[in-house]
Structures are given as structure tokens and as C-alpha cells.
Amino acid sequence: MTIHEHLTALHNRPVFRFPEAGSPEELPAADAVAWRISVDSYTEGAETFAECWRRFTGTVDPAGVRAIVIGVWGDVVTDISASAAAVEVIAGSADRLTGLEALFFGDIVMEEAEISWIQQADVTPLLDAYPTLRCFGVRGGYGLALGPVRHQGLSTLRVETGGLPASVVHTVITSELPALEKLSLWLGDPNYGADTELSDLEPLLAGGRFPNLVHLGLCNSVLQDEI
């Protein structure tokens, strides 16, 4: 699946890109929008993700922020450590972003990197750091790791990949997510790292794992007919 457009809304809030340093653009109220944090990874001397993040948390009232969309965090294709560094920076601000309810990590479109090229990391620290999250999404499956997770408040989980490792499917199914209502897993193609088999999904399809689940999306898969 190819993605051409960035997210325009998250958690019932319009996405607003946090402006570049020195921009005269007026900022909305902290809780009025989903803040998009993204950097230019191709221009030498451009602001790094850590620098942009520090400027964001130093400019906008962190306690008022309810939703964040993370775009490009650096070299998302060849730097295998960049995603983990971004995860660490974001998780490290949990004591300030005390009201964060929605986070999407990896709002990266085709013009920036194909979904199957995105180098991901273990995103578990983001869920561990923010117990107030209601909605969490991540894009990119190469190197992606997750959980198992215990999270009392998460109601929406979305994992978008061109190839989702079966290990992530297993940890999602074995996670303790009592409030989960919406689950979307983009399983992808074996050519891009997907190794989930129908048997891996049986505990999920049998029901009972997530008592409040009302929406299940198993998408973008070579197993679609069997599912």
C-alpha cells in the first residue's frame, strides 16, 4: 500500500505543523490541534529532531498538549538508530506532556520514504511512558518491535506496515489492553518482512482477547482472502 498524504486529523483535532524556528506564524492553543513535529532530513545544517522537539516543548505548554503526530525524525531509510533516538526523546518528556491522549509515530508519505523502507524501532517505551494515551499509531515495519504491553487506557491501536513481523502480531495479541475498542494491523507482504500466518491470527479471530473491541482491521495482506 502506498501512502501519498499526511494525516490531516488525529483524535478529533486538525493536524497543525509546528513551524520552523523563527517563523512568525501564530500558534493555536496547545489543546486545540494535533501537533505535527517533523524535520528536514536532506538539508545540511537543518534542525535535528531533538532540537525541534526541545523547541516545541519549550514553546507550547506541554501540559496542554493532547495529540501529537511525528513525521520525519531524520534519515528514516538508512539510519537504523534514528527511530530509537526519537522514541527516547519523546518518552523522556512524559513528565511534562502529562495530558497526552493521542500519538502517531511515523506519519511519513511516499515522497519521503516508501512505507516498506521506513526504519523503525521498539516503540514500547512510548506506550509505557504515557498511561494517558487513548490512541496510538505507528507506520513502518522494518525493525519494528512492540510489547507485550499493559495499558489500561488505550482504546485505539493502529500499526501500518508493508510487512509486519509475526512477533509484533503475537505481542499485540498477548498484551493487556482492556479498554481497546479499535485495532488495525497492516500485515503486508513477505517480500517486505511479513511472516504472519493464519494460525498466528487465530487467537485474535476467536474473540475474547479484547472484550471491548468493536472494530478489527486486518489489512494490506497477501492472506486477505483466507482471513
Side-chain angles (χ1 to χ4, degrees):
M1 184 174 291
T2 300
I3 299 172
H4 294 277
E5 296 182 354
H6 291 124
L7 293 176
T8 57
L10 180 68
H11 202 48
N12 298 317
R13 289 167 171 81
V15 173
F16 177 85
R17 176 162 182 167
F18 183 61
E20 297 178 357
S23 171
E25 187 173 3
E26 185 175 348
L27 300 181
D31 63 352
V33 299
W35 295 89
R36 186 170 195 275
I37 314 299
S38 187
V39 298
D40 179 359
S41 63
Y42 297 104
T43 301
E44 186 176 353
E47 190 176 40
T48 67
F49 181 81
E51 291 168 342
C52 184
W53 184 261
R54 283 195 296 270
R55 187 166 55 83
F56 167 65
T57 55
T59 304
V60 177
D61 174 21
V65 174
R66 297 292 176 264
I68 293 177
V69 175
I70 302 297
V72 173
W73 50 74
D75 184 346
V76 299
V77 175
T78 64
D79 187 351
I80 62 175
S81 66
S83 175
V87 167
E88 183 177 3
V89 167
I90 297 166
S93 296
D95 61 335
R96 303 180 65 197
L97 292 162
T98 52
L100 189 64
E101 298 174 350
L103 175 62
F104 191 95
F105 186 73
D107 182 32
I108 297 165
V109 298
M110 186 187 70
E111 290 75 14
E112 296 162 329
E114 290 279 4
I115 188 172
S116 56
W117 299 350
I118 300 170
Q119 295 271 355
Q120 270 294 359
D122 186 347
V123 296
T124 312
L126 297 175
L127 288 166
D128 289 342
Y130 292 99
T132 55
L133 281 181
R134 297 281 297 158
C135 173
F136 179 75
V138 60
R139 182 177 298 156
Y142 194 87
L144 179 67
L146 175 66
V149 175
R150 297 183 63 185
H151 199 292
Q152 297 300 310
L154 194 70
S155 62
T156 300
L157 176 60
R158 185 175 183 87
V159 183
E160 302 178 357
T161 77
L164 184 63
S167 59
V168 175
V169 174
H170 294 159
T171 54
V172 168
I173 292 174
T174 57
S175 290
E176 295 184 29
L177 304 170
L180 193 66
E181 298 176 356
K182 297 180 180 180
L183 173 63
S184 296
L185 302 175
W186 295 19
L187 302 174
D189 190 296
N191 292 317
Y192 301 115
D195 56 359
T196 299
E197 299 180 357
L198 199 59
S199 59
D200 297 315
L201 301 170
E202 286 178 357
L204 182 59
L205 295 173
R209 279 298 307 146
F210 305 115
N212 290 307
L213 196 68
V214 295
H215 170 92
L216 174 63
L218 300 174
C219 319
N220 190 31
S221 173
V222 295
L223 300 174
Q224 212 66 53
D225 289 343
E226 291 89 338
I227 292 170

